[in-house]
Amino acid sequence: MSTEQIKSIVESLVQPYLDQHGFELVDIEYVKEGGNWFLRVFVDKEGGIDIDDCGRISEYLSEKLDEKDPIESAYFLEVSSPGAERPLKKPQDFQKAVGHHVFVTTYEPVGGLKEFEGVLAEYNEQELVVEIGKKKHAIPVGKVAGARLAIVF
């Protein structure tokens, strides 16, 4: 089974619980690090998530994964907050991030750059605009390789 299929199954298993309890699914990763596989589920909620929330979600998801048993190899399940530099993946993530400091990478140069760190000034389905200093950079959504909130020091 592919990584994308596993992520899709995990999402279908955990989403009803998250919806029922007011949580937001931010991201799912299924990755091999060293000799071990890790299934990481990143969750948030209004006001932030705490360790007890992570524990309850982990217990629920662990039971569902044991019932369905979609993953053949051994793995470690981790449920956590996405952190202060949470990834921006879905359109609603970008919409919420307008006005906030972001870090964006692109698959190919846009205006000679492949990395943009500044304020997300605008977002629509076709492009996002990152303001760096007084200059605005329009980045086609299809060229975005990765995006996350960024902390300014």
Side-chain angles (χ1 to χ4, degrees), residues 8-61:
S8 179
I9 289 168
V10 171
E11 181 175 353
S12 70
L13 293 173
V14 76
Q15 194 67 60
Y17 181 89
L18 299 179
D19 291 344
Q20 182 180 1
H21 293 90
F23 295 104
E24 172 194 1
L25 178 61
V26 176
D27 198 10
I28 297 173
E29 290 181 348
Y30 183 61
V31 294
K32 189 170 189 176
E33 294 177 0
N36 297 312
W37 283 94
F38 291 86
L39 176 59
R40 295 188 177 113
V41 179
F42 298 96
V43 182
D44 207 357
K45 71 175 180 183
E46 192 69 36
I49 191 166
D50 62 33
I51 196 152
D52 292 331
D53 294 328
C54 292
R56 285 189 295 276
I57 295 165
S58 180
E59 285 177 25
Y60 172 85
L61 182 55

Side-chain angles (χ1 to χ4, degrees), residues 94-144:
F94 285 96
Q95 290 164 348
K96 285 184 198 175
V98 170
H100 295 274
H101 204 81
V102 297
F103 179 75
V104 178
T105 58
T106 58
Y107 293 112
E108 58 188 53
V110 175
L113 301 172
K114 288 183 74 176
E115 292 184 349
F116 302 84
E117 185 167 349
V119 174
L120 181 59
E122 301 172 37
Y123 170 79
N124 63 52
E125 292 181 14
Q126 287 76 40
E127 70 179 10
L128 50 102
V129 178
V130 177
E131 188 172 346
I132 303 171
K134 294 187 183 219
K135 186 170 183 185
K136 292 186 176 184
H137 301 268
I139 305 165
V141 170
K143 292 189 178 185
V144 173

